[in-house]
Amino acid sequence: MASQAAEQFSEVDKLRVQLLNNVEDMTDCQPDDEPVSSREILIRIENIILGIVTSVSKGEAPVLALPNRSSWANVSFDSAIGLQMSSGPSVSIIRSDCPSSVTKFAQILKILSVIYRLVQRNSYATKRDIYYNNTQLFGSQTAVDSIVDDISCMLKVPRRSLHVGKGVPDVNSRLMVRKLWDTLHIPIFALVDADPHGIEIMCIYKYGSVAMSFEAHSLTVPSVMWLGLLPSDLQRLWVPEDALIPLTKRDESKLSSLLKRPYLSSQPDWQKEMELMQQTRVKAEIQSLAAIAPDFLTSIYLPNKLRYGGWV
């Protein structure tokens, strides 16, 4: 049994050797992730508040300048790091005297005060906790999620250093995968649903996101490989039609957006799989393999993928 298991993972062992041969070069091109002290974070927040107080004392309307995280023009792509924010990104000005931005100005100050207390007391909260701190002010969880990332970018501090939490995929999971790669240099495979959102989550692990490109070097794992569920697997394995789900308009829009991203040009095999999904206009969850056989995923699909190198 032991020899059979070793044979099944022979392709993974070969891949691990290749990764070990390349790891020194990859490490050389990644910047050090120096932690920012709690005291430094408090000073940066205090400086922002001092700027606001100074403006008020001069009879001027305070403003906040936030790096524009939603613009692809502020992002560059490095195959060894992923998506990273440019050194001089454009900024969005949040004014306290403008009806369209005064609410966001107040939301930012409120969340800055919450973060200041968390760091000062060495305690932690989730973004959900912050939302329920003042639901009337924030209006939605989405507003809190976005502003926490804005503040992280504005302070030039990783979100985990702000003592705040989860996303999709959450930062702690991304840190764990990165730590596994940094420490053990083991192959990292992604097993996700064959749908646009599963693909996007995989891309975030591998390349990062525009919203958090300012800390890509500490979160991304460019060696991630797409093990499954591949759109081509659905045809190759004759997954029953009643286990497939038609793409929604939102799915199609997400897929088109993914195909335009700069890193896809370096992944022609991924591109082919996504184009196949566009053509067939169907998606499937990992659980759809159970329609072939209850234990098909664990007994047949994964062992054969790992044995014969069926990843892209």
Side-chain angles (χ1 to χ4, degrees):
M1 287 292 291
S3 61
Q4 184 180 4
E7 181 186 355
Q8 285 185 336
F9 287 87
S10 59
E11 288 299 319
V12 178
D13 290 335
K14 291 177 186 176
L15 180 60
R16 186 174 190 274
V17 171
Q18 293 173 5
L19 293 174
L20 285 170
N21 290 336
N22 295 332
V23 71
E24 186 174 343
D25 294 336
M26 291 187 67
T27 302
D28 288 342
C29 64
Q30 292 174 350
D32 293 331
D33 185 24
E34 292 293 334
V36 181
S37 68
S38 295
R39 183 60 194 146
E40 177 60 27
I41 294 171
L42 295 178
I43 289 172
R44 293 182 190 185
I45 295 175
E46 289 166 359
N47 286 337
I48 291 173
I49 302 304
L50 179 61
I52 292 173
V53 172
T54 301
S55 294
V56 171
S57 68
K58 294 179 179 179
E60 301 171 353
V63 300
L64 294 169
L66 302 179
N68 191 344
R69 297 183 300 106
S70 62
S71 174
W72 282 90
N74 283 341
V75 174
S76 60
F77 171 61
D78 185 318
S79 59
I81 299 174
L83 298 174
Q84 56 182 341
M85 182 164 281
S86 305
S87 56
S90 62
V91 297
S92 299
I93 301 300
I94 310 299
R95 301 189 61 86
S96 61
D97 61 347
C98 178
S100 63
S101 62
V102 65
T103 299
K104 185 168 184 178
F105 187 93
Q107 291 170 339
I108 293 172
L109 289 188
K110 176 61 177 178
I111 294 177
L112 274 173
S113 70
V114 172
I115 290 172
Y116 190 92
R117 288 197 302 271
L118 290 173
V119 175
Q120 193 176 45
R121 299 171 182 173
N122 194 29
S123 57
Y124 291 81
T126 66
K127 291 190 286 188
R128 196 68 174 163
D129 294 331
I130 294 176
Y131 169 65
Y132 280 110
N133 190 278
N134 195 326
T135 58
Q136 188 171 358
L137 172 63
F138 297 128
S140 70
Q141 182 68 59
T142 303
V144 174
D145 297 350
S146 178
I147 290 173
V148 168
D149 288 340
D150 281 336
I151 290 173
S152 179
C153 190
M154 178 171 61
L155 296 177
K156 296 182 173 61
V157 173
R159 194 174 73 202
R160 61 190 180 278
S161 297
L162 301 181
H163 292 220
V164 181
K166 290 183 73 66
V168 181
D170 65 274
V171 171
N172 287 336
S173 296
R174 294 174 64 188
L175 283 169
M176 182 191 72
V177 175
R178 175 58 187 259
K179 188 68 173 178
L180 287 172
W181 162 242
D182 282 340
T183 305
L184 304 176
H185 311 307
I186 57 176
I188 305 295
F189 297 108
L191 178 65
V192 297
D193 291 334
D195 68 22
H197 294 280
I199 295 171
E200 182 174 44
I201 288 172
M202 176 178 63
C203 287
I204 291 174
Y205 274 104
K206 186 175 178 73
Y207 297 116
S209 63
V210 176
M212 299 190 69
S213 58
F214 54 92
E215 55 174 316
H217 62 277
S218 65
L219 292 174
T220 59
V221 184
S223 62
V224 166
M225 288 151 289
W226 189 0
L227 183 67
L229 187 61
L230 303 177
S232 59
D233 288 336
L234 304 181
Q235 295 183 337
R236 182 175 59 85
L237 299 173
W238 292 87
V239 176
E241 285 191 16
D242 58 4
L244 305 179
I245 306 168
L247 290 180
T248 65
K249 292 293 184 183
R250 185 179 178 185
D251 290 329
E252 291 177 353
S253 176
K254 173 67 69 178
L255 194 54
S256 296
S257 173
L258 286 169
L259 282 165
K260 294 174 183 175
R261 296 190 180 176
Y263 44 72
L264 257 296
S265 60
S266 65
Q267 289 289 347
D269 291 334
W270 285 28
Q271 198 168 4
K272 289 178 183 176
E273 292 291 339
M274 293 162 68
E275 288 171 348
L276 177 60
M277 185 182 293
Q278 265 189 333
Q279 294 165 13
T280 59
R281 303 185 71 178
V282 294
K283 60 184 180 179
E285 298 176 348
I286 297 170
Q287 292 87 340
S288 66
L289 296 181
I292 302 174
D295 61 345
F296 187 82
L297 175 67
T298 55
S299 298
I300 300 174
Y301 182 81
L302 291 178
N304 278 280
K305 281 267 184 174
L306 296 173
R307 180 177 183 180
Y308 298 113
W311 55 78
V312 294

